[in-house]
Amino acid sequence: MSQFQDYNLNPALLRAVEELGFKEPMPIQQETLPVLLSQKTDLVGLAQTGTGKTAAFGLPLLQNIDASQRCIQALVLCPTRELCVQISKDLKNFSKYMPDVLVVPVYGGASIEAQFKELAKKPQIIVATPGRLEDMIRRNKVDFTNVKTIVLDEADEMLDMGFQEDIDRIVAQLPEERQTLFFSATMSTAIRALINRLASEPQEISIERPVLTVPTCEQSVYEVVFSSRIEVLSRLIEM
């Protein structure tokens, strides 16, 4: 069984990972880390939510950042503000002992003026939802000249939510010479088409879905309108 020490991580990253209680890499990390830490290849990672994807792409992102350069070097796109905040938090935890690395989340539903101020600090990594990031692009608040890597996390969900054109417009702003990473729970025709448009001969890694429940658990599924999901969940919890 591999350990995080086996991947020649920056000592500052390794220290943070150990403090977070990470012992053995999860399957998606075992498959992805050697690839992304050793070469600048495009990659498609197929794995369910909650399988450790943020560390799988986040640790190599942080390892490859030039902390001495105050410019955007990596961009992570994700579908929701909740995921945007979580990924940013994880990356900040991983880079706890890398004081010159700045990670900034950019998402709707929060003060855009506050995000202007954060972007003015010239972060190396931006984690963003497509809509708010497009707003920042229109306002000339971001400069993608030095972006070396883009990550599309939960790519299938972004397409399901209608962000395909937003993604295309954002990627069109990036340098042609870049690394493109996709992480998705499913591989649909639309995802395959997006990969074919944006990536160059990506390596594919697929992790078999883990067993999430035990036989004594009873499961129920409720199909609800997306905008009503919080209200429905609240009522279920009350019940």
Side-chain angles (χ1 to χ4, degrees):
M1 182 67 70
S2 63
Q3 304 289 325
F4 282 98
Q5 294 91 331
D6 300 336
Y7 296 103
N8 197 30
L9 287 171
N10 179 320
L13 279 176
L14 192 58
R15 181 183 175 189
V17 166
E18 290 175 345
E19 281 192 11
L20 289 168
F22 289 17
K23 303 296 184 183
E24 299 170 353
M26 299 175 74
I28 186 65
Q29 297 160 3
Q30 292 178 27
E31 296 291 332
T32 302
L33 288 175
V35 176
L36 297 184
L37 287 169
S38 64
Q39 53 187 306
K40 285 287 186 179
T41 183
D42 289 356
L43 182 140
V44 177
L46 296 175
Q48 299 295 316
T49 301
T51 53
K53 288 182 289 181
T54 302
F57 66 75
L59 294 176
L61 273 189
L62 292 164
Q63 177 98 340
N64 294 322
I65 287 294
D66 182 350
S68 68
Q69 298 297 312
R70 304 297 303 187
C71 57
I72 303 168
Q73 300 171 41
L75 171 63
V76 181
L77 283 182
C78 55
T80 66
R81 61 179 293 177
E82 293 83 4
L83 185 57
C84 180
V85 170
Q86 184 60 54
I87 292 173
S88 299
K89 179 181 178 182
D90 290 342
L91 294 180
K92 289 176 182 179
N93 286 337
F94 296 152
S95 59
K96 178 180 179 180
Y97 297 108
M98 302 172 70
D100 294 327
V101 172
L102 180 60
V103 179
V104 169
V106 173
Y107 55 90
S111 167
I112 196 167
E113 289 79 13
Q115 292 177 4
F116 288 163
K117 292 178 181 178
E118 289 299 301
L119 289 172
K121 298 176 183 178
K122 300 186 181 300
Q124 290 96 348
I125 300 175
I126 289 180
V127 184
T129 54
R132 176 55 64 90
L133 184 60
E134 276 208 287
D135 197 358
M136 294 297 188
I137 292 171
R138 285 191 294 269
R139 295 167 186 259
N140 294 316
K141 296 297 182 181
V142 289
D143 179 0
F144 293 145
T145 304
N146 297 293
V147 170
K148 297 179 176 63
T149 302
I150 178 173
V151 181
L152 290 91
D153 192 24
E154 304 288 358
D156 50 350
E157 188 173 343
M158 281 197 283
L159 294 190
D160 288 344
M161 295 172 65
F163 286 132
Q164 178 172 318
E165 292 183 358
D166 304 72
I167 292 170
D168 287 336
R169 286 192 293 267
I170 291 167
V171 173
Q173 304 290 322
L174 306 181
E176 289 189 13
E177 291 295 321
R178 64 173 188 273
Q179 181 183 39
T180 305
L181 311 178
F182 292 84
F183 286 85
S184 178
T186 60
M187 177 60 79
S188 63
T189 302
I191 288 290
R192 177 60 69 187
L194 185 67
I195 292 168
N196 290 340
R197 282 202 312 279
L198 303 184
S200 175
E201 299 181 355
Q203 180 167 338
E204 293 194 16
I205 294 173
S206 181
I207 301 301
E208 187 175 331
R209 180 170 183 153
V211 176
L212 300 180
T213 60
V214 295
T216 52
C217 286
E218 181 180 340
Q219 301 183 67
S220 299
V221 176
Y222 299 89
E223 186 171 345
V224 300
V225 176
F226 183 81
S227 59
S228 302
R229 67 197 190 284
I230 302 301
E231 181 183 357
V232 173
L233 177 60
S234 298
R235 290 186 179 182
L236 286 171
I237 292 172
E238 288 177 2
M239 291 168 58

